[in-house]
Amino acid sequence: MVHTRAKRPRRGLRHALAVAAGAGLLASGLGMPAATADEQELSIDLAAGTGAFHGGAAGTLYGLYGQDVPTNNLIEGMNLRTVSTKAQDGPQHPGADALDVVKPLADSTGGDVYIYMTDIHRGFPYQWEGDTPGEKVSIYREKIAKQVDQVLELPEEYRDNIVFVPFNEPEGNMFGTGEWSYDRTSWLDDPADYFATWDDFYRLIKGKMPGARIAGPNTSILYDQVKGFLEHTVEAGTVPDVVTWHELSHPEQVRTSVATYRAWEKEVFAGTAYEEKTPLPVNVNEYAFNYHTSVPGQMIQWISAIEESKVDADMAYWNIDGNISDSAVQSNRGNGQWWLFNAYGAMSGHTVEVTPPSPGENYTMQGVATLDEEKRQARALFGGADGPSRVRFDNVPAAVFGDTVHAWVREIPWTGQIGDSDRPEPVAEGDADVQDGAVEFDFGGDLPELEESSAYEIVLAPGGGGDASPPRALWQGSYEAEDAAHTGSGYSLNGPEGSPKEVSKFYTSGGYNVGGLRTGSDVRLDFTVDVPADGTYDLRVFANSLNTYGLVAEQGPTNVFLRVDGEDEQELHLPLGYKWVVWDHADTTVELTEGEHTLSLAARSLDGTGATKGDAIIDRITLSQPAATADQAVYEGELASFDGGGPVYDLPQDGSTTGAGAARLADGESATFWVYSEADAEARLGVAALGGGRSRLAVNGQDVQNVTRASGEVAVSLSGGVNKVTVTATAGTVLIDHLAVAPGGGVLEPREYQAEAADLAGTAEVADFSLADGGKAVQGVGGEPGNGNTATFRVTADTAGLYAMRVRYANPEQSEATHYNPDPLVRHADVSVNGGEARRVTFPHSFHENNFWDLTVPVRLERGDNTIAFRAEELPNFDGESYASDTWPGVLLRSQYAPVLDRITLAPYAVGQP
């Protein structure tokens, strides 16, 4: 059976009822009429291979902060390949030290860390010490040598994941014309001094570590002078192992620059010892702007160009570190961009030729596609267009798919720079006949029109499978704040915001937002909506407040009053951000009857006793009518990530299977599912196993169930955001049709413990926080090394075993920034149970001391009474002895403190656990 989601209203101007299940959704073959004048067509030729799938666009500059910020789930789930980051113990920004992030990256994906060795300096341009050119080189040379020595102290298995970058944008820094440069002569005009220093540092690094990889020249663009750099390094024997430059321009420039470089490389290396080493690896290790990052419809255009060019690339660092360049939310949640890269990382096999409707043009519909004959799957990612469009697969191989395909069509929407996102939205699923070798998808006909901010995924597998998953939403609507009516004083229309002409500004739906909901105002925004049926609707308010802004700093999240047709008032607290126009969302539900309604956001309550405190801007609101099964999810076995094993199709149809096939696993092989949870909460997981064989189910690295065909469900404590759920075969051949996830049934009974009831020592104290549970929380845990400032919870467990400890916390600590990057700090707590060995837990910045988030930590408890102690102190530098606070006095690089603690909640991790 085919299921499709309803078409959505555009800018609140129209709506459409849900399309009935079983409608003719997936158009097939050449019998379809040609695209009309207002339609765009993207064609995919599955017979035209363009090389092995590379996955190189999944890179980030300063995207990892350290242990669990972000979690290994987010790193692995987006198949992160490369991370460019600062020198260990460098003062450029808090966190993101190269040797702190190499282990989580290497353990998760085997990816490489590119050390920006220059970031051992403060400021940008770099504040290069020394009074003369000779002194500057000598002092920096010592720093280079120390960094190599530090890498040599790493365990051997991590050294191979390091790439050294001796210079960053040398034309604007050390060998440019500025105050801190070598002699204020740009190497672009006279390269002699730069070339000599490059050669010296190259030989220094290789002398200490012969197998080291060195990257350069790392220019801000691919200057023509880079060809001369290559010619010099060939002559000197100092050719970089990886060639790097930045593309802070537009997606099409990637294609142009890579082609230009490859032509130079071929010419310069011809007839030399380097000819056989070509093509050299390339890393475009800074790409994209604020307007692009976090927006799937924009980022797919970069991914398309980078994948076509078969190079690595790192998303730029314009904002805060540790969030994978605006992909991660908190520590374990992803926004729409993260899910785009999750889909990109799921590609395999080889890429195929994709012809967009406007080849060579930026900000148009673009895509990337793969065919994996062994898996019998084709995957396409595309987006960047608005309105009616067609996507066509040509030369669909009968030997792989037969005469019918099973297709999944999913939307990956924009959810804001720091807005948590559910897994991609199912648009349609079902079988379609292959006619004359083609399958076509009509967006704007049988399928909803494309949204410019969204990316889309289509996966093809052999047809004739089981049931399709139903849609999560029966109807959706989006309404821009600038279109809402308004009353009261202080209203403002803000914009235009980011656009193709203003890429340094942030993407904003519709290009504008509105202000006026602030302390002392009486502004009210009235949104007119028209819904198709009676029921409970999910409401999402896209909003932002600057966490450090004067009106916001006192309370934190800005409160506003939501009402329906002037009644049914509820108070909402709108989200904070690290800058203005950085969007997140506040979510709630409203009861609506069929027809037209007015949804209001007001700065004053109906009874006059409540008023907004803070200052918020509003981008838009969205409404959706959830399906009856919206809170349930099915993850297909054939679409899982495999470590050994793979998909199998042509299963016997007995009415119990879903999708197109299943995962087949032999002993020791595994399939991984990336499972979303809205909250840190209990869920029910059911593995649909077919036939014989046994397997083991693990959630976030913890074994929770031994699986057979008759195992049934298991209750598990999931972490909010992205969970790694793995099925590993332990005996015989295992077939996994799907993993089903549903809300918990109250099996894992939680117990709450308020922080103010904990045993406090030293400076730890109870303080008032209006948004804490009960209005109070504990601050002051931690301090200088050796402090005794602790909080100890006394807790009770009915049985011994593994428990999920959900910590509700806030972290307000932020360092004074030197340029455009806000510099929030991660705090940590060393948590020990019953006086045992402490586990270090990290807590990302929550943007305010009164803004509380949840974080799940597994702990083992004994039956009966237990103690859980929180302590903290400043962590030392790499040498284990010195401290950043002494090396860089006045520069806040590592926190001394644990977060503000509101409460902990303890629940069994799972039932029936080993």
Side-chain angles (χ1 to χ4, degrees):
M1 180 175 290
V2 174
H3 292 277
T4 180
R5 193 194 69 207
K7 301 170 187 175
R8 69 178 61 189
R10 297 182 56 75
R11 295 175 60 81
L13 298 181
R14 66 176 188 268
H15 69 263
L17 297 176
V19 177
L25 173 66
L26 302 178
S28 303
L30 298 176
M32 293 297 299
T36 60
D38 61 346
E39 287 182 321
Q40 306 171 84
E41 183 170 288
L42 181 140
S43 63
I44 299 164
D45 187 348
L46 294 182
T50 58
F53 173 70
H54 187 64
T60 179
L61 174 66
Y62 273 85
L64 307 186
Y65 192 104
Q67 173 195 322
D68 292 325
V69 182
T71 62
N72 286 24
N73 285 355
L74 296 192
I75 298 170
E76 182 182 351
M78 67 179 286
N79 196 28
L80 196 64
R81 283 178 57 93
T82 56
V83 173
S84 295
T85 198
K86 76 173 187 182
Q88 183 67 29
D89 304 328
Q92 191 70 204
H93 304 281
D97 295 83
L99 307 189
D100 290 342
V101 306
V102 66
K103 185 179 188 299
L105 178 65
D107 289 350
S108 298
T109 66
D112 290 333
V113 168
Y114 284 66
I115 302 180
Y116 272 29
M117 304 179 85
T118 45
D119 286 21
I120 198 65
H121 301 93
R122 185 73 170 158
F124 193 83
Y126 303 113
Q127 297 169 7
W128 195 4
E129 301 118 306
D131 295 328
T132 67
E135 285 182 1
K136 290 179 179 180
V137 169
S138 178
I139 293 171
Y140 184 38
R141 194 179 195 277
E142 292 177 3
K143 296 178 185 291
I144 291 281
K146 181 178 179 180
Q147 291 183 53
V148 180
D149 290 341
Q150 289 174 330
V151 171
L152 290 170
E153 292 184 41
L154 289 175
E156 188 172 353
E157 63 265 32
Y158 297 119
R159 294 178 208 161
D160 291 341
N161 298 92
I162 296 294
V163 182
F164 296 101
V165 186
F167 300 100
N168 176 40
E169 298 185 358
E171 71 285 349
N173 278 285
M174 293 178 167
F175 290 92
T177 60
E179 173 187 358
W180 299 96
S181 66
Y182 179 80
D183 63 0
R184 302 197 179 190
T185 299
S186 173
W187 80 268
L188 298 175
D189 300 320
D190 182 358
D193 293 320
Y194 170 55
F195 286 174
T197 309
W198 168 269
D199 294 343
D200 178 33
F201 288 6
Y202 180 98
R203 291 169 182 141
L204 170 65
I205 295 169
K206 293 282 189 177
K208 284 180 168 287
M209 188 175 170
R213 286 179 290 161
I214 301 174
N218 225 65
T219 47
S220 56
I221 63 173
L222 186 69
Y223 291 101
D224 290 342
Q225 289 89 335
V226 171
K227 183 180 180 183
F229 170 82
L230 292 176
E231 291 170 337
H232 166 79
T233 59
V234 168
E235 182 179 349
T238 58
V239 173
D241 300 281
V242 184
V243 176
T244 54
W245 70 87
H246 305 161
E247 287 295 356
L248 301 176
S249 50
H250 52 79
E252 277 302 312
Q253 189 60 46
V254 172
R255 292 182 171 94
T256 300
S257 294
V258 172
T260 298
Y261 166 74
R262 291 299 185 203
W264 292 346
E265 179 185 68
K266 185 175 181 180
E267 176 185 345
V268 172
F269 293 166
T272 74
Y274 297 97
E275 184 173 15
E276 64 182 25
K277 297 181 180 181
T278 58
L280 288 179
V282 166
N283 190 334
V284 179
N285 55 356
E286 293 186 34
Y287 78 88
F289 280 96
N290 280 327
Y291 177 67
H292 309 121
T293 57
S294 85
V295 188
Q298 293 299 324
M299 292 305 293
I300 186 58
Q301 300 179 66
W302 288 94
I303 290 173
S304 172
I306 291 163
E307 182 61 38
E308 182 180 312
S309 302
K310 303 301 181 188
V311 298
D312 290 333
D314 296 346
M315 292 174 281
Y317 165 47
W318 297 114
N319 299 305
I320 61 175
D321 60 357
N323 73 348
I324 323 181
S325 301
D326 301 328
S327 304
V329 177
Q330 300 183 25
S331 61
N332 192 55
R333 297 175 182 270
N335 60 17
Q337 177 171 284
W338 187 90
W339 287 102
L340 169 64
F341 278 97
N342 176 257
Y344 176 57
M347 288 180 151
S348 60
H350 60 85
T351 50
V352 296
E353 185 176 284
V354 175
T355 304
S358 302
E361 292 187 24
N362 291 297
Y363 307 108
T364 59
M365 187 180 182
Q366 300 287 339
V368 61
T370 57
L371 174 64
D372 189 326
E373 288 91 345
E374 184 177 353
K375 284 186 175 181
R376 300 177 69 188
Q377 291 178 6
R379 292 175 180 259
L381 287 169
F382 57 93
D386 218 17
S389 304
R390 294 187 183 224
V391 176
R392 179 184 181 88
F393 290 81
D394 288 313
N395 294 311
V396 178
V400 175
F401 296 98
D403 58 7
T404 304
V405 297
H406 190 89
W408 293 265
V409 184
R410 294 188 278 238
E411 179 185 7
I412 307 172
W414 176 69
T415 56
Q417 287 80 1
I418 49 177
D420 181 37
S421 177
D422 202 338
R423 66 199 188 282
E425 186 75 25
V427 174
E429 180 186 351
D431 284 351
D433 294 334
V434 180
Q435 296 183 5
D436 296 327
V439 178
E440 191 169 85
F441 299 85
D442 183 6
F443 293 86
D446 300 308
L447 299 173
E449 293 182 2
L450 298 186
E451 295 283 345
E452 184 182 22
S453 60
S454 296
Y456 295 81
E457 179 187 33
I458 297 176
V459 182
L460 303 183
D467 289 341
S469 298
R472 292 204 300 267
L474 302 176
W475 174 92
Q476 292 182 338
S478 180
Y479 306 88
E480 299 295 334
E482 60 267 30
D483 293 338
H486 63 273
T487 59
S489 59
Y491 171 90
S492 63
L493 176 64
N494 308 316
E497 304 294 355
S499 71
K501 295 181 179 179
E502 292 283 357
V503 292
S504 63
K505 294 183 177 181
F506 291 104
Y507 179 89
T508 298
S509 178
Y512 292 84
N513 63 82
V514 303
L517 296 170
R518 64 174 66 93
T519 301
S521 80
D522 59 352
V523 165
R524 189 183 78 232
L525 304 178
D526 293 330
F527 297 84
T528 300
V529 303
D530 195 352
V531 299
D534 297 356
T536 301
Y537 285 76
D538 293 327
L539 173 66
R540 174 164 285 183
V541 180
F542 283 78
N544 165 250
S545 294
L546 173 60
N547 64 326
T548 57
Y549 186 64
L551 292 179
V552 177
E554 179 183 354
Q555 174 176 274
T558 298
N559 62 308
V560 298
F561 300 91
L562 166 69
R563 39 191 182 254
V564 178
D565 299 326
E567 300 177 340
D568 301 324
E569 186 171 80
Q570 55 179 292
E571 187 175 17
L572 287 182
H573 285 88
L574 302 180
L576 301 170
Y578 46 78
K579 292 180 180 177
W580 283 115
V581 203
V582 173
W583 301 107
D584 193 352
H585 50 79
D587 300 340
T588 188
T589 60
V590 290
E591 297 292 330
L592 300 175
T593 57
E594 179 184 352
E596 190 171 285
H597 296 274
T598 300
L599 301 183
S600 302
L601 296 175
R604 293 183 181 175
S605 65
L606 283 171
D607 62 8
T609 62
T612 287
K613 180 180 288 187
D615 194 346
I617 54 176
I618 310 296
D619 181 22
R620 61 170 175 161
I621 66 170
T622 63
L623 274 177
S624 64
Q625 181 188 13
T629 57
D631 57 358
Q632 302 174 34
V634 171
Y635 297 84
E636 297 294 347
E638 64 272 28
L639 301 184
S641 301
F642 291 94
D643 183 4
V648 61
Y649 305 96
D650 305 319
L651 298 175
Q653 298 302 305
D654 60 3
S656 64
T657 60
T658 61
R664 176 189 283 163
L665 307 173
D667 192 15
E669 297 176 337
S670 65
T672 293
F673 304 88
W674 301 105
V675 172
Y676 174 79
S677 179
E678 182 178 4
D680 294 72
E682 176 188 338
R684 292 177 289 127
L685 273 59
V687 177
L690 308 174
R694 294 193 300 272
S695 59
R696 183 178 69 252
L697 178 68
V699 175
N700 298 325
Q702 306 291 338
D703 290 344
V704 298
Q705 186 183 42
N706 291 316
V707 180
T708 65
R709 186 167 187 174
S711 293
E713 296 177 334
V714 59
V716 179
S717 294
L718 295 184
S719 295
V722 179
N723 294 266
K724 181 182 180 181
V725 179
T726 303
V727 181
T728 303
T730 56
T733 298
V734 176
L735 294 179
I736 304 299
D737 180 61
H738 65 267
L739 172 73
V741 182
V747 175
L748 308 177
E749 183 178 354
R751 288 177 173 168
E752 292 184 355
Y753 300 89
Q754 297 296 328
E756 57 266 32
D759 296 337
L760 306 181
T763 62
E765 63 177 0
V766 177
D768 294 330
F769 294 90
S770 64
L771 298 183
D773 193 6
K776 295 185 181 298
V778 169
Q779 63 184 8
V781 174
E784 295 182 353
N787 71 80
N789 309 321
T790 61
T792 302
F793 294 81
R794 298 186 181 275
V795 304
T796 302
D798 291 336
T799 59
L802 188 66
Y803 285 75
M805 179 175 68
R806 301 166 190 145
V807 184
R808 190 168 192 257
Y809 81 93
N811 173 8
E813 198 162 11
Q814 189 160 327
S815 183
E816 184 176 350
T818 59
H819 37 77
Y820 50 77
N821 297 108
D823 278 338
L825 269 73
V826 168
R827 287 184 169 186
H828 76 274
D830 291 330
V831 179
S832 59
V833 178
N834 298 324
E837 183 178 356
R839 170 180 177 171
R840 184 153 294 149
V841 181
T842 49
F843 299 86
H845 195 265
S846 69
F847 306 131
H848 197 275
E849 65 181 6
N850 201 30
N851 194 37
F852 291 90
W853 292 345
D854 288 321
L855 184 74
T856 292
V857 182
V859 294
R860 287 201 174 272
L861 301 179
E862 301 296 330
R863 181 180 179 182
D865 295 337
N866 296 261
T867 61
I868 302 177
F870 288 72
R871 53 178 44 85
E873 62 181 33
E874 182 183 353
L875 301 179
N877 291 327
F878 185 77
D879 60 16
E881 298 176 355
S882 63
Y883 289 85
S885 56
D886 296 326
T887 307
W888 298 97
V891 180
L892 185 58
L893 295 175
R894 295 193 181 104
S895 178
Q896 298 181 346
Y897 296 98
V900 176
L901 299 172
D902 182 16
R903 67 167 184 255
I904 64 172
T905 302
L906 289 162
Y909 198 88
V911 298
Q913 64 189 25

